Amino acid sequence: RMLYQVTDKPKYKQAMENIEGYFKSVWDSRSNTFYQGAHYINGQWIPNDSNFAVDCQTWAIDVLGAEKIDSWFGEGAAYRMWQETKQLAGYFSNGRLLGVGYTNEHDQISVEWTAGAILGLKNLAISYKDTHPDWANVCIKEAQDMRALFETLKKKSDGKAAYPYSLKREFIPFGWW
């Protein structure tokens, strides 16, 4: 999108439209989420529905924005996608959402993927503040709760700080440990 805006070259507009077409083809209307990926077979994208991926949801919100997602799949589609994501992969304690894992799990927090979720929640809050302030407030609260957890995970040594990649080491169904 940005390359087309800067260069005005039709090939970048076409690339953007192709990418958007791909996103539309990997929407699962039953779950209100994007499939984890797809395979291009005989000129068609065939969705991979064997695994749920949190980052496919949060990246979509972060990059496409709620307005675009809602324009394709109906008002509130991005918010419903987030609701489904946290139900499938949220890490909850005392009713508070503290982070997200990678897939269908509730005992794992990925710091990186939670950071993507926090950004997505901030974007959702901005998008829905005028039309659905109740949704925006939920998004802000969840982002704050997840960000607060980060500080409990921080490790300090020799004046430097780092965060673990996840709470525990385990197989992730997308091909890595």
Side-chain angles (χ1 to χ4, degrees), residues 38-117:
H39 302 283
Y40 196 68
I41 301 172
N42 297 326
Q44 287 188 306
W45 289 106
I46 308 300
N48 174 4
D49 61 0
S50 59
N51 294 301
F52 174 77
V54 169
D55 64 340
C56 291
Q57 318 318 309
T58 57
W59 288 351
I61 293 168
D62 294 342
V63 174
L64 297 172
E67 294 86 0
K68 178 71 75 178
I69 295 168
D70 288 3
S71 75
W72 292 342
F73 309 116
E75 182 180 354
Y79 184 75
R80 288 188 302 277
M81 182 172 63
W82 169 247
Q83 296 305 307
E84 183 68 15
T85 299
K86 73 179 180 183
Q87 291 308 311
L88 291 171
Y91 183 100
F92 293 87
S93 179
N94 297 323
R96 290 176 53 214
L97 178 65
L98 300 181
V100 293
Y102 303 102
T103 188
N104 297 13
E105 58 194 346
H106 298 284
D107 61 347
Q108 172 70 289
I109 293 177
S110 162
V111 172
E112 176 190 357
W113 291 26
T114 297

Side-chain angles (χ1 to χ4, degrees), residues 8-9 29 37 43 54 57 137 141 145 148 155 161 163:
D8 205 32
K9 292 184 179 179
S29 60
V54 169
Q57 318 318 309
N137 290 335
K141 175 72 170 115
D145 287 348
K155 308 291 183 200
Y163 297 91

